[in-house]
Amino acid sequence: MQRDAKGQYLFDLLCHHLNLLEKDYFGIRFVDPDKQRHWLEFTKSVVKQLRSQPPFTMCFRVKFYPADPAALKEEITRYLVFLQIKRDLYHGRLLCKTSDAALLAAYILQEAEIGDYDPGKHPEGYSSKFQFFPKHSEKLERKIAEIHRTELSGQTPATSELNFLRKAQTLETYGVDPHPCKDVSGNAAFLAFTPFGFVVLQGNKRVHFIKWNEVTKLKFEGKTFYLYVSQKEEKKIILTYFAPTPEACKHLWKCGIENQAFYKLEKSSQVRTVSSSNLFFKGSRFRYSGRVAKEVMESSAQIKREPPEIHSLRAGMVPSRSCPSITHGPRLSSVPRTRRRAVHISIMEGVPLRKAPDRCAPQPPGSHLWARQSAGAPPREHSGRADSNERVAVIADEAYSPADSMLPTPVAEHSLELMLLSRQINGATCSIEEEKESEASTPTAADVEALGGELRALCQGHGRPEEEQVNKFVLSVLRLLLVTMGLLFVLLLLLIILTESDLDIAFFRDIRQTPEFEQFHYQYFCPLRRWFACKIRSVVSLLIDT
């Protein structure tokens, strides 16, 4: 990969590796040295966007949630969206009642974890070994096991996945990727963009929901974010919120621009460059570069290939039970945990990888993923449960507050994680672990090696960010000097033409006849010309004498 390779090249490379055609719903996200999240822009160089020193992490995850995930054309796309929503549920971004939470967790058990209930293999309390939410209660765990045992027996993974997506889509916070802010009164809030519009969450309530066709303008200045709304009867509203930093506010603004373009517009040709500035002040300019939702759906309807085999993907999703959490007891997360390496690109959980030795305990032969806590996972209670004396169920409309669980962890990315692990870049090669052989329709080990070679070239071309920043500053200063000197030269040339030439052009003649120009010519220019002529004659005579 060339040093100036664009983000689109890397994105296409990853989608090819995953055998994914309906790729417009996904994106690549990373965290900069200031702990600010960014989406990788496909029209810009990858190296220039990654300002941090290696090691660094990029995460492949859902960027635009489908308005109807059950209507996606291919099962592999539905499966990847399922993994993302399951992750949202685990991190508390998908809020729901206790009954809905139990049903969603039962679908996850049926689809990905254990399949049909078997009395011989699943003793009482078997659902407590998995963690589907930030906190559990014993009552919720019993409800999950009851639904899984009595209502879902015989459902195939694809059917359970489809039912899970249909249920999740009906929830108010489906598709929410929260941005922490404060309102004008200083109250904490979370702003988010969904397939249906803009939402504001405070506590456990959705206080604002604005459809995309009512949003007329998005704007930011420093830390302040403005949303201009035009509702019925020509009623206009301006919602104002304050982000933690200017960088966070700009990220919020860019996410809003992209989501509005994707869900609202009919064609990508209608996309326009948007500026955050006023008329006389320079601001940020941004343009969404992808296709819109309607075009993506039309393109998906034309897919004619044989559906890719994803049985191996589902098989690789079962977490290892040989390495329980040392601190928090034997509970396992239904989200595969990632090992910390020098460099890794997290893509999607569930694709089987070549098994690596675990320092905690030996892996069983059939295990491909490790049940270790992801850096992006929120801290859990020691027991993982709500106190039995408490009357409040954690996952419930009445009590569940997103203030803790919905806040995006700044250090690591909340994403679905298939580990494509790279090794140390500084002074060593950057490689990717080979994928275990699977069906013919899935990527082969040769594909992974090719992907590793491309990413290795990108990693080796990253360079030192400090030197790059210094070079950019020097180039900016030189560019400014050159532009200034060029403008001065043009002005001087124009002045000489006005005062010394005999060009009889109407424009020049009008300027020469103005009283101001005549005063400038006789009082300033002529004396200055005589002074320069005298100095030049003195220098010439001095040279002749010597």
Side-chain angles (χ1 to χ4, degrees):
M1 182 183 293
Q2 299 297 324
R3 182 179 176 82
D4 59 347
K6 301 294 190 292
Q8 185 69 56
Y9 183 83
L10 177 60
F11 180 72
D12 291 341
L13 204 65
L14 298 177
C15 291
H16 175 73
H17 170 73
L18 294 170
N19 203 8
L20 178 65
L21 293 184
E22 296 174 288
K23 57 187 179 181
D24 298 81
Y25 299 105
F26 303 88
I28 299 175
R29 196 155 69 180
F30 64 94
V31 181
D32 68 15
D34 298 324
K35 315 305 180 187
Q36 175 58 49
R37 299 180 302 172
H38 299 274
W39 288 106
L40 188 71
E41 296 186 34
F42 295 161
T43 58
K44 295 183 179 180
S45 168
V46 175
V47 172
K48 291 182 179 179
Q49 294 182 67
L50 299 175
R51 297 187 292 110
S52 61
Q53 287 187 349
F56 53 84
T57 301
M58 291 185 290
C59 300
F60 182 97
R61 56 157 291 156
V62 173
K63 184 176 183 179
F64 303 110
Y65 286 77
D68 184 5
L72 293 169
K73 176 76 172 182
E74 296 196 309
E75 185 180 356
I76 186 172
T77 315
R78 293 194 297 272
Y79 177 66
L80 297 179
V81 174
F82 161 79
L83 294 179
Q84 178 67 68
I85 299 175
K86 188 181 77 167
R87 188 84 174 184
D88 294 344
L89 193 67
Y90 173 75
H91 286 286
R93 294 191 290 266
L94 187 63
L95 307 183
C96 51
K97 298 178 182 179
T98 303
S99 57
D100 294 336
L103 180 59
L104 291 173
Y107 283 138
I108 294 173
L109 280 179
Q110 182 71 19
E111 192 276 347
E113 303 294 351
I114 59 179
D116 288 340
Y117 171 75
D118 185 346
K121 296 180 180 179
H122 307 137
E124 183 177 356
Y126 67 94
S127 65
S128 64
K129 297 180 180 179
F130 302 91
Q131 183 154 357
F132 307 98
F133 316 103
K135 292 182 181 179
H136 281 217
S137 67
E138 293 184 0
K139 181 179 179 181
L140 178 59
E141 290 171 357
R142 289 195 298 269
K143 184 66 174 177
I144 294 171
E146 179 185 352
I147 296 176
H148 175 251
R149 182 174 59 252
T150 60
E151 299 181 20
L152 305 184
S153 181
Q155 280 194 11
T156 64
T159 303
S160 297
E161 173 189 296
L162 199 61
N163 291 332
F164 177 92
L165 293 176
R166 286 171 175 164
K167 183 61 182 178
Q169 182 221 342
T170 63
L171 303 177
E172 284 189 348
T173 53
Y174 165 73
V176 163
D177 185 17
H179 300 258
C181 291
K182 291 185 177 181
D183 61 16
V184 291
S185 301
N187 300 318
F190 292 93
L191 312 187
F193 309 101
T194 73
F196 315 106
F198 172 82
V199 298
V200 180
L201 303 168
Q202 285 185 328
N204 61 339
K205 295 181 180 180
R206 187 177 72 178
V207 296
H208 286 294
F209 171 68
I210 301 168
K211 297 179 180 179
W212 283 121
N213 57 8
E214 297 176 347
V215 177
T216 58
K217 185 178 180 181
L218 299 169
K219 178 183 173 183
F220 84 97
E221 293 178 358
K223 298 181 181 180
T224 309
F225 176 76
Y226 302 96
L227 182 80
Y228 293 77
V229 181
S230 179
Q231 295 181 331
K232 296 178 180 179
E233 300 178 357
E234 298 183 354
K235 182 180 179 181
K236 295 184 179 180
I237 302 174
I238 301 178
L239 299 178
T240 305
Y241 293 92
F242 303 96
T245 64
E247 292 75 17
C249 194
K250 183 177 181 179
H251 175 66
L252 171 64
W253 173 72
K254 292 169 72 173
C255 289
I257 296 299
E258 290 187 312
N259 278 270
Q260 185 182 30
F262 184 81
Y263 294 115
K264 182 179 179 179
L265 299 182
E266 297 289 327
K267 298 179 180 179
S268 56
S269 59
Q270 298 174 339
V271 176
R272 298 290 181 265
T273 300
V274 181
S275 175
S276 66
S277 65
N278 293 321
L279 181 61
F280 300 103
F281 298 94
K282 182 180 179 181
S284 298
R285 294 170 61 84
F286 183 70
R287 178 187 176 91
Y288 171 60
S289 59
R291 296 189 295 181
V292 300
K294 187 174 182 180
E295 292 176 332
V296 174
M297 294 175 64
E298 292 173 352
S299 176
S300 298
Q302 299 175 2
I303 296 177
K304 302 295 184 182
R305 69 170 180 175
E306 289 292 325
E309 176 59 49
I310 66 170
H311 174 73
S312 57
L313 303 187
R314 298 184 190 279
M317 185 180 160
V318 180
S320 167
R321 290 166 172 75
S322 63
C323 185
S325 172
I326 297 175
T327 305
H328 303 299
R331 180 187 298 279
L332 300 177
S333 167
S334 65
V335 180
R337 283 82 179 270
T338 61
R339 301 172 66 86
R340 293 188 178 183
R341 291 292 185 90
V343 179
H344 72 274
I345 297 182
S346 306
I347 303 183
M348 282 287 177
E349 66 181 350
V351 176
L353 300 175
R354 173 175 293 183
K355 184 173 59 177
D358 195 333
R359 297 177 184 177
C360 178
Q363 295 285 340
S367 177
H368 305 295
L369 293 172
W370 308 282
R372 296 187 60 183
Q373 180 68 32
S374 169
R380 291 180 287 161
E381 302 297 331
H382 287 283
S383 65
R385 303 184 182 201
D387 191 343
S388 59
N389 296 326
E390 295 180 4
R391 299 176 57 189
V392 178
V394 176
I395 308 296
D397 278 351
E398 298 81 7
Y400 187 55
S401 171
D404 297 324
S405 59
M406 286 186 63
L407 181 62
T409 303
V411 176
E413 189 62 28
H414 295 328
S415 65
L416 312 175
E417 303 194 272
L418 151 71
M419 296 298 297
L420 287 181
L421 297 171
S422 302
R423 300 188 185 275
Q424 182 66 32
I425 294 177
N426 296 328
T429 59
C430 175
S431 63
I432 295 182
E433 295 188 16
E434 294 182 356
E435 184 185 23
K436 188 178 179 180
E437 293 182 1
S438 58
E439 300 295 332
S441 59
T442 60
T444 63
D447 296 329
V448 181
E449 281 298 325
L451 179 61
E454 300 289 353
L455 294 176
R456 184 184 305 115
L458 175 64
C459 294
Q460 292 174 345
H462 188 267
R464 296 182 180 179
E466 292 87 353
E467 295 181 359
E468 290 184 359
Q469 291 179 1
V470 173
N471 293 337
K472 288 180 180 178
F473 175 75
V474 173
L475 289 175
S476 300
V477 173
L478 291 176
R479 192 179 297 114
L480 179 62
L481 290 175
L482 288 175
V483 171
T484 304
M485 292 176 63
L487 291 175
L488 291 176
F489 177 77
V490 172
L491 290 174
L492 180 61
L493 184 62
L494 180 61
L495 181 61
I496 293 174
I497 293 174
L498 282 170
T499 55
E500 301 297 330
S501 70
D502 296 328
L503 291 176
D504 191 15
I505 301 175
F507 173 70
F508 289 161
R509 185 170 58 251
D510 293 339
I511 295 178
R512 292 186 184 115
Q513 291 176 356
T514 58
E516 292 81 1
F517 181 81
E518 291 181 354
Q519 183 181 8
F520 168 78
H521 182 263
Y522 291 110
Q523 292 187 8
Y524 298 98
F525 182 77
C526 289
L528 184 63
R529 183 181 59 181
R530 289 194 295 268
W531 182 82
F532 269 111
C534 181
K535 292 296 182 182
I536 292 175
R537 283 196 298 269
S538 299
V539 172
V540 171
S541 62
L542 182 62
L543 292 175
I544 293 175
D545 293 340
T546 56

